[in-house]
């Protein structure tokens, strides 16, 4: 009974909550609500996947929310300040995410700074640096620049399709999220590189003695995290339609929460892609259901906290297996 509860309990909680909200709020079960809920969960799930990769190697990327916010600013500046195309903005954002990941990798692998401290420092650097070119202002079409001129560019229609486009009836952010989940699952579960990443997280010294280039793979995990953060930022900026200086501020805690929640899925007791997706969906179900029932926005953090606590009960308290996540020091 205990093993069944550990393995399927979290999935059962998700199903029960979904059924409850669908039964008490008829609009909850409509397809439009389902797609809106998935779209809402897409950014958190994608950032959570980036955190998942760093957790797999025994680390944690605290800069992922700031990197998503940097992506928002880079995209807005590329199109609004420099009047460049949407594809150019996408390329600039993805490159920026990779560079942040490389910087984290160098700090952690080359300079031997602990993961949490290196990414915490990077978080503060990014949060400050992204405000300097815009003097602390949000970037929007028609804004007045520091020299008194008006910004010549705007968000291009093709760029806004990242969040507002569809593949058939499915919103494009949902498609992007599902593709990244499948790719992450395949890499982590079906490739030798994925097995090496898990081995490093379980015992880096044993992996090193087995001939694994531990530093290379740990650095790769942070580059992937930076790349995923930039993808989440692209969806976010195309959703809000401006370079909001506060974008990504709350994304770190949400991303870490859903990645931790994912460790409890199917009793795996380790970070995994499908678990992270389910964690993001559960948070979206709870928040959407509570909103439909008239709860105010200030109840949301409490609801997220309860979701995380329940998931951790399945991972740490009920499970006989130790969760395979040990922050590197």
């Amino acid at each position: 009974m205990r093993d069944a509860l550990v393995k399927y309990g979290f999935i059962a909680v998700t199903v029960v909550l979904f059924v409850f909200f669908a039964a008490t709020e008829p609009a909850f079960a409509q397809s439009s609500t389902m797609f809106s809920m998935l779209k809402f969960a897409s950014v958190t799930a994608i950032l959570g996947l980036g955190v998942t990769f760093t957790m797999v190697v025994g680390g944690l990327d605290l800069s992922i929310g700031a990197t998503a916010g940097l992506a928002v600013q880079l995209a807005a500046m590329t199109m609004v300040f420099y009047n460049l195309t949407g594809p150019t903005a996408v390329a600039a954002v993805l490159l920026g995410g990779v560079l942040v990941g490389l910087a984290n990798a160098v700090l952690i692998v080359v300079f031997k700074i602990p993961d949490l401290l290196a990414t915490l420092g990077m978080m503060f650097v990014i949060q400050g640096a992204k405000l300097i070119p815009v003097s602390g202002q949000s970037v929007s079409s028609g804004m007045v620049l520091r020299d008194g001129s008006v910004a010549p560019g705007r968000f291009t229609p093709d760029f806004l399709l990242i969040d507002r486009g569809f593949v058939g009836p499915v919103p494009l952010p949902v498609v992007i999220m599902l593709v990244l989940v499948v790719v992450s699952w395949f890499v982590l579960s079906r490739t030798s590189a994925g097995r090496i990443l898990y081995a490093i997280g379980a015992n880096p010294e044993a992996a090193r003695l087995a001939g694994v280039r531990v530093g290379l793979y740990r650095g790769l995990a942070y580059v992937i995290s930076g790349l995923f953060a930039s993808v989440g930022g692209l969806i976010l900026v195309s959703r809000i339609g401006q370079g909001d200086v506060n974008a990504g501020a709350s994304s770190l805690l949400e991303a870490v929460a859903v990645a931790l929640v994912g460790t409890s899925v199917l009793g795996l007791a380790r970070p995994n892609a499908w678990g992270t997706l389910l964690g993001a969906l559960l948070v979206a179900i709870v928040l959407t259901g509570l909103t439909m029932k008239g709860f105010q926005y200030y109840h949301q953090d409490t609801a997220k906290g309860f979701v995380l606590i329940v998931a951790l009960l399945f991972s740490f308290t009920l499970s006989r297996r130790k969760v395979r996540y040990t922050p590197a020091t």
Side-chain angles (χ1 to χ4, degrees):
M1 186 68 180
R2 178 179 178 136
D3 290 342
L5 185 61
V6 169
K7 192 169 185 178
Y8 302 109
F10 190 73
I11 295 176
V13 169
T14 305
V15 173
V16 167
L17 285 173
F18 181 87
V19 172
F20 169 74
F21 286 126
T24 56
E25 298 290 338
F28 184 86
Q30 294 178 356
S31 60
S32 58
T33 304
M34 295 295 99
F35 283 133
S36 295
M37 193 161 52
L38 290 170
K39 186 176 177 180
F40 171 79
S42 61
V43 174
T44 301
I46 291 170
L47 297 186
L49 288 173
V51 173
T52 298
F53 272 92
T54 60
M55 287 175 60
V56 165
V57 296
L60 191 63
D61 186 359
L62 297 182
S63 67
I64 195 159
T67 305
L70 176 65
V72 171
Q73 288 291 82
L74 281 176
M77 290 175 60
T78 301
M79 288 180 287
V80 175
F81 281 11
Y82 303 110
N83 199 22
L84 298 176
T85 64
T88 303
V90 171
V93 166
L94 295 179
L95 178 60
V98 170
L99 290 176
V100 170
L102 283 172
N104 281 329
V106 169
L107 291 174
I108 293 165
V109 176
V110 178
F111 293 103
K112 309 298 182 184
I113 300 175
D115 305 60
L116 295 180
L117 299 180
T119 56
L120 180 65
M122 185 60 65
M123 178 186 75
F124 285 119
V125 168
I126 294 172
Q127 286 178 340
K130 72 179 184 179
L131 301 179
I132 295 174
V134 296
S135 301
Q137 301 180 61
S138 295
V139 179
S140 57
S141 302
M143 70 178 296
V144 178
L145 304 179
R146 284 186 289 186
D147 61 1
S149 62
V150 176
R154 63 187 179 90
F155 282 82
T156 60
D158 57 346
F159 182 86
L160 295 176
L161 285 176
I162 295 174
D163 180 73
R164 305 172 190 181
F166 289 83
V167 178
V170 184
L172 185 55
V174 178
V175 175
I176 296 172
M177 174 185 70
L178 294 177
V179 168
L180 292 180
V181 168
V182 172
V183 170
S184 300
W185 163 79
F186 182 81
V187 170
L188 290 174
S189 301
R190 294 291 184 269
T191 67
S192 59
R195 289 189 286 272
I196 289 172
L197 291 174
Y198 277 118
I200 292 171
N203 192 327
E205 186 59 29
R208 184 178 292 107
L209 292 175
V212 174
R213 300 176 66 182
V214 173
L216 175 64
Y217 283 94
R218 286 183 66 200
L220 178 62
Y222 283 92
V223 172
I224 293 173
S225 180
L227 179 61
F228 279 21
S230 65
V231 174
L234 282 171
I235 296 174
L236 188 58
V237 67
S238 63
R239 179 173 301 170
I240 61 181
Q242 66 172 350
D244 190 343
V245 293
N246 296 315
S250 63
S251 298
L252 168 62
L253 296 181
E254 295 175 355
V256 172
V258 299
L260 285 171
V261 165
T263 63
S264 66
V265 174
L266 294 177
L268 294 176
R270 66 181 186 182
N272 64 94
W274 292 113
T276 298
L277 174 63
L278 184 61
L281 293 181
L282 177 57
V283 171
I285 288 170
V286 171
L287 297 186
T288 302
L290 291 179
T291 301
M292 285 188 167
K293 287 190 167 296
F295 286 83
Q296 299 298 321
Y297 71 92
Y298 45 77
H299 294 102
Q300 293 186 1
D301 286 340
T302 301
K304 293 175 188 176
F306 275 118
V307 169
L308 179 58
I309 289 172
V310 170
L312 295 180
L313 285 173
F314 286 114
S315 290
F316 288 90
T317 305
L318 297 177
S319 177
R320 295 187 179 96
R321 294 159 58 184
K322 183 180 179 181
V323 174
R324 292 169 58 183
Y325 163 59
T326 306
T329 57

